Amino acid sequence: MSNLASHKKGAVNMNSKEQKRLATTREQMENAKEQTDLSSELEQDLENLGLQRRMKQLELESKYLKTRTMNYFNSQHPFRVLFQHFSTFASEPPIYD
């Protein structure tokens, strides 16, 4: 009998213990692949959540700075009288002689 024939015969004649071990190994490999895929998805989801959180934080900081800037110009700025004067002047209709 040739080596190829004996190899094929040996592969077909695996005992039940070897078949169970092979099936268990395949199942464990499939489970490991699924866990790896899930881990990658979870990592991507966490990264996306982190980016969303950072964008929201930047949005809130921007709103805070705008409010603070407006408060500064409305109440603390040394030229607030001029700003108030120009804003009043700009809202009045022009006077033509």
Side-chain angles (χ1 to χ4, degrees), residues 26-70:
R26 284 184 182 144
E27 184 179 336
Q28 288 174 345
M29 289 175 65
E30 288 175 15
N31 289 342
K33 185 183 181 317
E34 287 176 13
Q35 288 177 353
T36 301
D37 292 346
L38 289 174
S39 294
S40 297
E41 289 177 24
L42 179 59
E43 187 176 342
Q44 185 65 42
D45 289 346
L46 288 172
E47 185 178 337
N48 288 340
L49 286 173
L51 291 172
Q52 289 175 1
R53 182 181 158 277
R54 181 64 179 140
M55 288 175 60
K56 184 65 175 177
Q57 181 181 4
L58 290 171
E59 179 185 336
L60 292 173
E61 287 176 7
S62 175
K63 287 180 181 179
Y64 170 76
L65 290 173
K66 284 179 186 175
T67 302
R68 188 169 174 179
T69 302
M70 290 307 297

Side-chain angles (χ1 to χ4, degrees), residues 13-23:
N13 290 330
M14 244 193 290
N15 65 33
S16 64
K17 191 173 186 179
E18 290 172 336
Q19 289 175 350
K20 286 180 185 177
R21 189 178 327 142
L22 182 61

